[in-house]
Amino acid sequence: MSGIDVRAADVFEDVRAVLGPKQETSSNCFCLSYRIGSKENQALRGPARFERVRGLCAEDPPPGVLAYDGAEPVGWAAIHPRADTSFATNRRIPHVDDHVEPWSLWCVRVRPGHRKQGISHHLVAGAVRFARANGASVVEAYPVDNQGAKVDLTMAYVGTRALFERAGFEYVMDTKSVLNGFTRVLMRYTT
């Protein structure tokens, strides 16, 4: 799977192809739940939600990275400075220190039909490169520590401890957040 290219998620239609619902009337996640405030996230419906994501894709930096197989977008990773996400005030996922402004990597998604091909590994590595290129010295992730057990597909977006360990992230601590019955751990990668 060496033909995978990971680059900034600055093309809305490509982000939509990976994350978006088919109908603009839908209010699916669109990976906004950690990126914007809870009140705004709950209030955004239909076309307004699409326009909010379109706006994020136009920002510098955009809201994450996309993996491409040729011209086709096949995966997504949400990454942004923690201070600009809901992780900045999240009581269940603690801050490690006040001397470093980490970037948060909180969602890895591969499109159906492209899973089990190693794309998530490309996405994590590409997200780290993206953060480094935008000035990050530390990247945090908050995956589940499933110890090899199956994770429900709807909750797999946070990734697993093993995925991030393979990418060079180091375990820092358990968090108070639990997803699908598994504790989420805080892991860090120093760029």
Side-chain angles (χ1 to χ4, degrees):
M1 183 73 14
S2 60
I4 298 297
D5 180 35
V6 178
R7 52 188 188 259
D10 55 7
V11 178
F12 170 74
E13 288 304 326
D14 292 350
V15 172
R16 179 181 180 178
V18 177
L19 293 177
K22 292 180 178 149
Q23 303 296 322
E24 282 197 30
T25 54
S26 178
S27 295
N28 283 21
C29 176
F30 236 136
C31 211
L32 289 174
S33 59
Y34 293 110
R35 181 60 182 86
I36 63 176
S38 178
K39 286 181 184 177
E40 180 186 8
N41 184 39
Q42 291 176 6
L44 283 175
R45 297 283 178 242
R49 197 166 191 78
F50 279 67
E51 288 310 307
R52 183 65 165 106
V53 174
R54 186 184 309 277
L56 290 173
C57 291
E59 289 184 5
D60 184 18
V65 295
L66 290 168
Y68 290 86
D69 185 358
E72 182 183 9
V74 296
W76 153 266
I79 185 162
H80 208 73
R82 181 175 173 148
D84 296 336
T85 70
S86 66
F87 292 110
T89 57
N90 192 311
R91 288 179 270 157
R92 293 183 179 187
I93 298 180
H95 290 266
V96 175
D97 58 55
D98 293 327
H99 305 295
V100 176
E101 284 294 330
W103 279 49
S104 293
L105 170 53
W106 67 88
C107 178
V108 178
R109 177 150 190 237
V110 177
R111 288 175 80 178
H114 301 277
R115 296 182 178 136
K116 300 199 183 290
Q117 299 175 31
I119 294 172
S120 59
H121 299 282
H122 289 280
L123 282 163
V124 171
V128 168
R129 286 191 304 272
F130 173 77
R132 182 185 308 126
N134 282 282
S137 61
V138 172
V139 176
E140 289 183 347
Y142 320 107
V144 293
D145 190 359
N146 63 324
Q147 300 175 5
K150 185 169 176 55
V151 178
D152 182 278
L153 191 57
T154 60
M155 297 298 159
Y157 71 93
V158 298
T160 63
R161 179 176 176 169
L163 168 67
F164 286 95
E165 283 176 339
R166 278 185 241 126
F169 281 70
E170 294 182 2
Y171 168 84
V172 177
M173 66 179 70
D174 286 359
T175 73
K176 293 179 182 171
S177 179
V178 175
L179 199 59
N180 195 214
F182 301 111
T183 298
R184 291 177 74 178
V185 294
L186 191 149
M187 300 186 75
R188 279 188 153 193
Y189 185 99
T190 302
T191 65

